Amino acid sequence: MNYKNALNHTIFKVISEAAKDLNLDAYVIGGFVRDFLLDRGSHKDIDIVAIGSGIELAKAVSRKLPDQPKVQIFKTYGTAMLPFEDLEIEFVGARKESYNENSRNPVVENGTLEDDQNRRDFTINALALSLKESTFGDLLDPFNGVKDLEDKIIRTPLNPDITYSDDPLRMMRAIRFATQLDFEIEKQSLNAISKNNERIKIITNERIVVELNKILESKTPSKGFLLLEQTGLLKHFLPELTALKGIDEIEGQKHKDNFYHTLEVVDNISEHTDNVWLRWAALLHDIGKAPTKKFSKKVGWTFHTHEFEGSKMVYHLFKRLKMPLNDKMKYVQKLVFLSSRPIVLAQDEVTDSAVRRLVFDAGDYVDDLMTLCAADITTKNPKKFEKYHNNFKIVRDKIIEVEERDHVRNFQPPITGEDIIKTFNLKPSREIGQIKETIKEAILEGDIPNEYEAAYELMLETGKKLGLKIHEKR
Ligand code: ATP
């Protein structure tokens, strides 16, 4: 087959000519070819394999381009990167690889195109298009990758057991591609992943997280997490999630399986947001349930304070996986911490003061919190489902109403500590905190409006109750 039309961009002509000058063959390989055949939109990372020096080819290509873009050379890997327009073109010499037990970094020798295709992870990633003048656009597909694209199958070119054991990151990649593309992993491959799952331990957490993020960013992330769980991979890096698996039953009372519930929530939320951190919050919103699970005869299964435990666990989990310990982490923590609030609210009559407290506590995250909590409604009881969603609509409307009137989203107390000190001539003391707290509570309860005048009066009244003397009136 010929796919000249995949190579319309001028850069391919330039690479072809530069290769001819150097008297070597070059091919486009990997994701670019795969995504072209899948019609997934243009792939901005282009991988070029040269039968010879990839670095020399990159330099020769640069010399032929108008501004001669600077080639970045990665000596240790024998690769070079050339930025051109919005493209990043990676050059590598064809290679043959052999692995040893303890590292995913192979011993590398120069090789043929076939050797290079053999070292690729999946048949669909080993497709190459020729850049040679005489065969420009010809497809080289030694492992029937096109058929696997049509059949939607992830398969390794060589023995999967060896492929995954050699570089265990490929297990994550298999599951990630299956999730992104909605493909199935071929049976032998799936068995080989299960068999080799322990080998994931030699992969750094950073690389695992890259794949996890791509799974989470997919249309239906549950597909990937189910595969990670089934193959035994998940427990190695997210034991907090696998701990949610299972249903306990005592005296005929059961709780739901919180692992499968969680995956439903993640899929639900993915229909409403592309924010990967909000998706992380959905994934982690119930992790505090495993350590807080209790049974009592009176009330059955409880998970008291699981939101608080869960938010603490988020920190440890991010730290362990070397994820950023910044405002993204705090955002996830806060959403986990507040994740039960709106549903508790929606179970009863929705009061102004409860909504005001919610807005006060969630601040700018209140909209995302509502998205999370709507996704959390996975009840199969249609009456409850409707009731919760209707109540959520009331909560959402009230959030807007309360916010317009009371401005508590980023609450700044109308009376400051300074005001209190001056009025009663106080040294820093407990009473200042007490007065501030009383004013804040009164505003959130709706007893007074969020305004200076009313807050001032309440300050005087509270001070009097605490036995304080007015020193200076405003
Ligand atoms: P995407 O950009 O969507 O992640 P991609 O296929 O371009 O997809 P890259 O990680 O950029 O992914 O890899 C480029 C190519 O390099 C792949 O198509 C594959 O042929 C090869 N490759 C990448 N990682 C591995 C690996 N761990 N083992 C074997 N081959 C790999």
mmCIF file of all heavy atoms in Angstrom, residues 415 417-427 431-432 435 456-473:
data_model
loop_
_atom_site.group_PDB
_atom_site.id
_atom_site.type_symbol
_atom_site.label_atom_id
_atom_site.label_comp_id
_atom_site.label_asym_id
_atom_site.label_seq_id
_atom_site.Cartn_x
_atom_site.Cartn_y
_atom_site.Cartn_z
ATOM 1 N N ILE A 415 -15.686 42.793 59.803
ATOM 2 C CA ILE A 415 -15.007 43.392 60.963
ATOM 3 C C ILE A 415 -13.677 42.673 61.128
ATOM 4 O O ILE A 415 -13.636 41.432 61.185
ATOM 5 C CB ILE A 415 -15.854 43.172 62.241
ATOM 6 C CG1 ILE A 415 -17.144 43.982 62.177
ATOM 7 C CG2 ILE A 415 -15.068 43.508 63.501
ATOM 8 C CD1 ILE A 415 -16.975 45.468 62.375
ATOM 9 N N GLY A 417 -9.830 41.903 62.996
ATOM 10 C CA GLY A 417 -9.255 41.792 64.333
ATOM 11 C C GLY A 417 -8.841 43.171 64.848
ATOM 12 O O GLY A 417 -9.044 43.508 66.015
ATOM 13 N N GLU A 418 -8.296 43.981 63.937
ATOM 14 C CA GLU A 418 -7.875 45.351 64.267
ATOM 15 C C GLU A 418 -9.036 46.166 64.846
ATOM 16 O O GLU A 418 -8.902 46.860 65.865
ATOM 17 C CB GLU A 418 -7.390 46.067 62.994
ATOM 18 C CG GLU A 418 -5.923 45.931 62.690
ATOM 19 C CD GLU A 418 -5.054 46.388 63.845
ATOM 20 O OE1 GLU A 418 -5.126 47.570 64.220
ATOM 21 O OE2 GLU A 418 -4.316 45.527 64.390
ATOM 22 N N ASP A 419 -10.198 46.080 64.151
ATOM 23 C CA ASP A 419 -11.392 46.808 64.607
ATOM 24 C C ASP A 419 -11.734 46.417 66.045
ATOM 25 O O ASP A 419 -12.074 47.263 66.880
ATOM 26 C CB ASP A 419 -12.614 46.462 63.724
ATOM 27 C CG ASP A 419 -12.432 46.931 62.287
ATOM 28 O OD1 ASP A 419 -11.718 47.929 62.085
ATOM 29 O OD2 ASP A 419 -13.001 46.290 61.374
ATOM 30 N N ILE A 420 -11.648 45.112 66.317
ATOM 31 C CA ILE A 420 -12.042 44.604 67.641
ATOM 32 C C ILE A 420 -11.054 45.099 68.716
ATOM 33 O O ILE A 420 -11.445 45.575 69.786
ATOM 34 C CB ILE A 420 -12.125 43.052 67.628
ATOM 35 C CG1 ILE A 420 -13.140 42.593 66.560
ATOM 36 C CG2 ILE A 420 -12.510 42.510 68.998
ATOM 37 C CD1 ILE A 420 -13.112 41.112 66.235
ATOM 38 N N ILE A 421 -9.778 45.036 68.385
ATOM 39 C CA ILE A 421 -8.734 45.479 69.328
ATOM 40 C C ILE A 421 -8.932 46.949 69.703
ATOM 41 O O ILE A 421 -8.931 47.336 70.871
ATOM 42 C CB ILE A 421 -7.324 45.263 68.709
ATOM 43 C CG1 ILE A 421 -7.013 43.765 68.665
ATOM 44 C CG2 ILE A 421 -6.244 46.026 69.477
ATOM 45 C CD1 ILE A 421 -5.763 43.398 67.893
ATOM 46 N N LYS A 422 -9.170 47.759 68.663
ATOM 47 C CA LYS A 422 -9.343 49.197 68.887
ATOM 48 C C LYS A 422 -10.574 49.486 69.745
ATOM 49 O O LYS A 422 -10.519 50.246 70.706
ATOM 50 C CB LYS A 422 -9.540 49.904 67.536
ATOM 51 C CG LYS A 422 -8.279 50.511 66.994
ATOM 52 C CD LYS A 422 -8.676 51.525 65.945
ATOM 53 C CE LYS A 422 -7.489 51.895 65.088
ATOM 54 N NZ LYS A 422 -7.923 52.275 63.746
ATOM 55 N N THR A 423 -11.675 48.859 69.363
ATOM 56 C CA THR A 423 -12.950 49.145 70.036
ATOM 57 C C THR A 423 -12.876 48.833 71.529
ATOM 58 O O THR A 423 -13.346 49.594 72.367
ATOM 59 C CB THR A 423 -14.087 48.329 69.392
ATOM 60 O OG1 THR A 423 -14.056 48.563 67.998
ATOM 61 C CG2 THR A 423 -15.446 48.733 69.953
ATOM 62 N N PHE A 424 -12.258 47.686 71.863
ATOM 63 C CA PHE A 424 -12.258 47.271 73.275
ATOM 64 C C PHE A 424 -10.896 47.452 73.964
ATOM 65 O O PHE A 424 -10.706 46.993 75.085
ATOM 66 C CB PHE A 424 -12.682 45.798 73.383
ATOM 67 C CG PHE A 424 -14.075 45.541 72.864
ATOM 68 C CD1 PHE A 424 -14.264 44.849 71.661
ATOM 69 C CD2 PHE A 424 -15.194 45.988 73.558
ATOM 70 C CE1 PHE A 424 -15.541 44.619 71.179
ATOM 71 C CE2 PHE A 424 -16.471 45.745 73.075
ATOM 72 C CZ PHE A 424 -16.654 45.060 71.879
ATOM 73 N N ASN A 425 -9.977 48.060 73.227
ATOM 74 C CA ASN A 425 -8.621 48.258 73.741
ATOM 75 C C ASN A 425 -8.020 46.951 74.276
ATOM 76 O O ASN A 425 -7.632 46.849 75.441
ATOM 77 C CB ASN A 425 -8.639 49.322 74.849
ATOM 78 C CG ASN A 425 -7.220 49.765 75.200
ATOM 79 O OD1 ASN A 425 -6.311 49.644 74.376
ATOM 80 N ND2 ASN A 425 -7.020 50.241 76.420
ATOM 81 N N LEU A 426 -7.969 45.970 73.388
ATOM 82 C CA LEU A 426 -7.510 44.639 73.802
ATOM 83 C C LEU A 426 -6.063 44.386 73.411
ATOM 84 O O LEU A 426 -5.564 44.960 72.448
ATOM 85 C CB LEU A 426 -8.364 43.566 73.128
ATOM 86 C CG LEU A 426 -9.829 43.464 73.553
ATOM 87 C CD1 LEU A 426 -10.538 42.458 72.660
ATOM 88 C CD2 LEU A 426 -9.928 43.048 75.012
ATOM 89 N N LYS A 427 -5.423 43.538 74.183
ATOM 90 C CA LYS A 427 -4.148 42.955 73.734
ATOM 91 C C LYS A 427 -4.557 41.697 72.961
ATOM 92 O O LYS A 427 -5.691 41.231 73.128
ATOM 93 C CB LYS A 427 -3.304 42.547 74.940
ATOM 94 C CG LYS A 427 -2.920 43.702 75.828
ATOM 95 C CD LYS A 427 -1.417 43.672 76.102
ATOM 96 C CE LYS A 427 -0.871 45.026 76.418
ATOM 97 N NZ LYS A 427 -1.653 45.849 77.355
ATOM 98 N N GLU A 431 -10.593 36.505 73.224
ATOM 99 C CA GLU A 431 -11.862 37.181 72.948
ATOM 100 C C GLU A 431 -11.950 37.663 71.490
ATOM 101 O O GLU A 431 -13.036 37.671 70.912
ATOM 102 C CB GLU A 431 -12.054 38.394 73.878
ATOM 103 C CG GLU A 431 -12.485 38.050 75.288
ATOM 104 C CD GLU A 431 -11.313 37.702 76.202
ATOM 105 O OE1 GLU A 431 -10.176 37.608 75.676
ATOM 106 O OE2 GLU A 431 -11.523 37.514 77.417
ATOM 107 N N ILE A 432 -10.830 38.065 70.938
ATOM 108 C CA ILE A 432 -10.852 38.559 69.548
ATOM 109 C C ILE A 432 -11.351 37.451 68.624
ATOM 110 O O ILE A 432 -12.257 37.654 67.805
ATOM 111 C CB ILE A 432 -9.447 39.031 69.094
ATOM 112 C CG1 ILE A 432 -8.928 40.089 70.072
ATOM 113 C CG2 ILE A 432 -9.483 39.571 67.674
ATOM 114 C CD1 ILE A 432 -7.442 40.375 69.932
ATOM 115 N N ILE A 435 -15.108 36.770 69.115
ATOM 116 C CA ILE A 435 -15.994 37.749 68.466
ATOM 117 C C ILE A 435 -16.021 37.522 66.951
ATOM 118 O O ILE A 435 -17.085 37.507 66.333
ATOM 119 C CB ILE A 435 -15.550 39.198 68.797
ATOM 120 C CG1 ILE A 435 -15.715 39.448 70.306
ATOM 121 C CG2 ILE A 435 -16.358 40.219 67.985
ATOM 122 C CD1 ILE A 435 -15.144 40.780 70.793
ATOM 123 N N TYR A 456 -20.854 45.278 63.010
ATOM 124 C CA TYR A 456 -20.368 46.177 64.068
ATOM 125 C C TYR A 456 -21.261 46.084 65.305
ATOM 126 O O TYR A 456 -20.786 45.965 66.439
ATOM 127 C CB TYR A 456 -20.318 47.613 63.529
ATOM 128 C CG TYR A 456 -19.689 48.574 64.503
ATOM 129 C CD1 TYR A 456 -18.298 48.694 64.556
ATOM 130 C CD2 TYR A 456 -20.465 49.339 65.375
ATOM 131 C CE1 TYR A 456 -17.700 49.558 65.462
ATOM 132 C CE2 TYR A 456 -19.879 50.206 66.290
ATOM 133 C CZ TYR A 456 -18.492 50.316 66.323
ATOM 134 O OH TYR A 456 -17.905 51.155 67.221
ATOM 135 N N GLU A 457 -22.561 46.112 65.048
ATOM 136 C CA GLU A 457 -23.521 46.010 66.157
ATOM 137 C C GLU A 457 -23.330 44.700 66.913
ATOM 138 O O GLU A 457 -23.322 44.669 68.141
ATOM 139 C CB GLU A 457 -24.975 46.096 65.628
ATOM 140 C CG GLU A 457 -25.409 47.489 65.184
ATOM 141 C CD GLU A 457 -25.140 48.556 66.250
ATOM 142 O OE1 GLU A 457 -25.394 48.289 67.439
ATOM 143 O OE2 GLU A 457 -24.647 49.652 65.882
ATOM 144 N N LEU A 458 -23.160 43.609 66.115
ATOM 145 C CA LEU A 458 -23.000 42.292 66.751
ATOM 146 C C LEU A 458 -21.694 42.234 67.546
ATOM 147 O O LEU A 458 -21.624 41.624 68.613
ATOM 148 C CB LEU A 458 -23.038 41.179 65.693
ATOM 149 C CG LEU A 458 -22.965 39.763 66.243
ATOM 150 C CD1 LEU A 458 -24.097 39.471 67.231
ATOM 151 C CD2 LEU A 458 -23.006 38.727 65.102
ATOM 152 N N MET A 459 -20.680 42.928 67.069
ATOM 153 C CA MET A 459 -19.405 42.965 67.791
ATOM 154 C C MET A 459 -19.617 43.612 69.172
ATOM 155 O O MET A 459 -19.155 43.094 70.195
ATOM 156 C CB MET A 459 -18.370 43.772 67.000
ATOM 157 C CG MET A 459 -17.084 44.020 67.771
ATOM 158 S SD MET A 459 -15.963 45.109 66.892
ATOM 159 C CE MET A 459 -16.809 46.672 67.021
ATOM 160 N N LEU A 460 -20.337 44.736 69.183
ATOM 161 C CA LEU A 460 -20.564 45.432 70.453
ATOM 162 C C LEU A 460 -21.334 44.537 71.429
ATOM 163 O O LEU A 460 -20.979 44.394 72.598
ATOM 164 C CB LEU A 460 -21.352 46.726 70.222
ATOM 165 C CG LEU A 460 -20.639 47.813 69.403
ATOM 166 C CD1 LEU A 460 -21.513 49.085 69.348
ATOM 167 C CD2 LEU A 460 -19.264 48.156 69.984
ATOM 168 N N GLU A 461 -22.366 43.906 70.885
ATOM 169 C CA GLU A 461 -23.217 43.043 71.691
ATOM 170 C C GLU A 461 -22.423 41.871 72.269
ATOM 171 O O GLU A 461 -22.517 41.556 73.457
ATOM 172 C CB GLU A 461 -24.316 42.506 70.764
ATOM 173 C CG GLU A 461 -25.584 42.043 71.425
ATOM 174 C CD GLU A 461 -26.523 41.534 70.341
ATOM 175 O OE1 GLU A 461 -26.976 42.362 69.488
ATOM 176 O OE2 GLU A 461 -26.756 40.331 70.288
ATOM 177 N N THR A 462 -21.605 41.257 71.415
ATOM 178 C CA THR A 462 -20.832 40.084 71.850
ATOM 179 C C THR A 462 -19.789 40.498 72.881
ATOM 180 O O THR A 462 -19.579 39.816 73.899
ATOM 181 C CB THR A 462 -20.131 39.419 70.636
ATOM 182 O OG1 THR A 462 -21.073 39.301 69.586
ATOM 183 C CG2 THR A 462 -19.598 38.056 70.991
ATOM 184 N N GLY A 463 -19.151 41.658 72.628
ATOM 185 C CA GLY A 463 -18.155 42.158 73.575
ATOM 186 C C GLY A 463 -18.772 42.355 74.954
ATOM 187 O O GLY A 463 -18.187 41.994 75.979
ATOM 188 N N LYS A 464 -19.975 42.902 74.943
ATOM 189 C CA LYS A 464 -20.678 43.159 76.198
ATOM 190 C C LYS A 464 -20.901 41.837 76.955
ATOM 191 O O LYS A 464 -20.634 41.729 78.151
ATOM 192 C CB LYS A 464 -22.021 43.818 75.870
ATOM 193 C CG LYS A 464 -22.647 44.546 77.020
ATOM 194 C CD LYS A 464 -23.795 45.398 76.506
ATOM 195 C CE LYS A 464 -24.689 45.822 77.647
ATOM 196 N NZ LYS A 464 -25.959 46.345 77.118
ATOM 197 N N LYS A 465 -21.352 40.831 76.203
ATOM 198 C CA LYS A 465 -21.606 39.514 76.811
ATOM 199 C C LYS A 465 -20.327 38.927 77.391
ATOM 200 O O LYS A 465 -20.359 38.208 78.395
ATOM 201 C CB LYS A 465 -22.163 38.539 75.766
ATOM 202 C CG LYS A 465 -23.649 38.690 75.567
ATOM 203 C CD LYS A 465 -24.167 37.543 74.700
ATOM 204 C CE LYS A 465 -25.529 37.906 74.157
ATOM 205 N NZ LYS A 465 -25.773 37.340 72.839
ATOM 206 N N LEU A 466 -19.211 39.252 76.783
ATOM 207 C CA LEU A 466 -17.929 38.710 77.261
ATOM 208 C C LEU A 466 -17.346 39.581 78.380
ATOM 209 O O LEU A 466 -16.231 39.349 78.850
ATOM 210 C CB LEU A 466 -16.926 38.627 76.105
ATOM 211 C CG LEU A 466 -17.211 37.577 75.018
ATOM 212 C CD1 LEU A 466 -16.258 37.760 73.842
ATOM 213 C CD2 LEU A 466 -17.081 36.168 75.575
ATOM 214 N N GLY A 467 -18.103 40.625 78.765
ATOM 215 C CA GLY A 467 -17.659 41.495 79.858
ATOM 216 C C GLY A 467 -16.627 42.524 79.440
ATOM 217 O O GLY A 467 -15.875 43.034 80.263
ATOM 218 N N LEU A 468 -16.565 42.852 78.130
ATOM 219 C CA LEU A 468 -15.574 43.829 77.667
ATOM 220 C C LEU A 468 -16.157 45.242 77.703
ATOM 221 O O LEU A 468 -17.360 45.429 77.523
ATOM 222 C CB LEU A 468 -15.130 43.498 76.235
ATOM 223 C CG LEU A 468 -14.540 42.107 76.011
ATOM 224 C CD1 LEU A 468 -14.251 41.883 74.525
ATOM 225 C CD2 LEU A 468 -13.253 41.944 76.829
ATOM 226 N N LYS A 469 -15.283 46.210 77.956
ATOM 227 C CA LYS A 469 -15.739 47.622 78.004
ATOM 228 C C LYS A 469 -15.382 48.304 76.689
ATOM 229 O O LYS A 469 -14.280 48.116 76.139
ATOM 230 C CB LYS A 469 -15.002 48.365 79.132
ATOM 231 C CG LYS A 469 -15.342 47.867 80.505
ATOM 232 C CD LYS A 469 -15.879 49.027 81.373
ATOM 233 C CE LYS A 469 -16.802 48.619 82.476
ATOM 234 N NZ LYS A 469 -16.619 47.316 83.077
ATOM 235 N N ILE A 470 -16.314 49.130 76.224
ATOM 236 C CA ILE A 470 -16.025 49.847 74.980
ATOM 237 C C ILE A 470 -15.032 50.962 75.278
ATOM 238 O O ILE A 470 -15.224 51.767 76.172
ATOM 239 C CB ILE A 470 -17.309 50.423 74.365
ATOM 240 C CG1 ILE A 470 -18.240 49.252 73.984
ATOM 241 C CG2 ILE A 470 -17.009 51.280 73.143
ATOM 242 C CD1 ILE A 470 -19.624 49.688 73.576
ATOM 243 N N HIS A 471 -13.959 50.978 74.527
ATOM 244 C CA HIS A 471 -12.895 51.950 74.742
ATOM 245 C C HIS A 471 -13.025 53.096 73.731
ATOM 246 O O HIS A 471 -12.970 54.268 74.066
ATOM 247 C CB HIS A 471 -11.558 51.234 74.570
ATOM 248 C CG HIS A 471 -10.379 52.139 74.576
ATOM 249 N ND1 HIS A 471 -9.906 52.710 75.731
ATOM 250 C CD2 HIS A 471 -9.572 52.556 73.571
ATOM 251 C CE1 HIS A 471 -8.853 53.448 75.419
ATOM 252 N NE2 HIS A 471 -8.624 53.376 74.122
ATOM 253 N N GLU A 472 -13.236 52.719 72.505
ATOM 254 C CA GLU A 472 -13.272 53.737 71.447
ATOM 255 C C GLU A 472 -14.371 53.401 70.451
ATOM 256 O O GLU A 472 -14.362 52.345 69.852
ATOM 257 C CB GLU A 472 -11.911 53.733 70.725
ATOM 258 C CG GLU A 472 -11.754 54.796 69.694
ATOM 259 C CD GLU A 472 -10.412 54.635 68.960
ATOM 260 O OE1 GLU A 472 -9.373 54.487 69.634
ATOM 261 O OE2 GLU A 472 -10.430 54.620 67.716
ATOM 262 N N LYS A 473 -15.350 54.311 70.321
ATOM 263 C CA LYS A 473 -16.402 54.075 69.312
ATOM 264 C C LYS A 473 -15.919 54.579 67.985
ATOM 265 O O LYS A 473 -15.058 55.450 67.911
ATOM 266 C CB LYS A 473 -17.690 54.795 69.752
ATOM 267 C CG LYS A 473 -18.526 53.962 70.712
ATOM 268 C CD LYS A 473 -19.996 54.027 70.356
ATOM 269 C CE LYS A 473 -20.777 52.995 71.130
ATOM 270 N NZ LYS A 473 -22.164 52.962 70.730
#
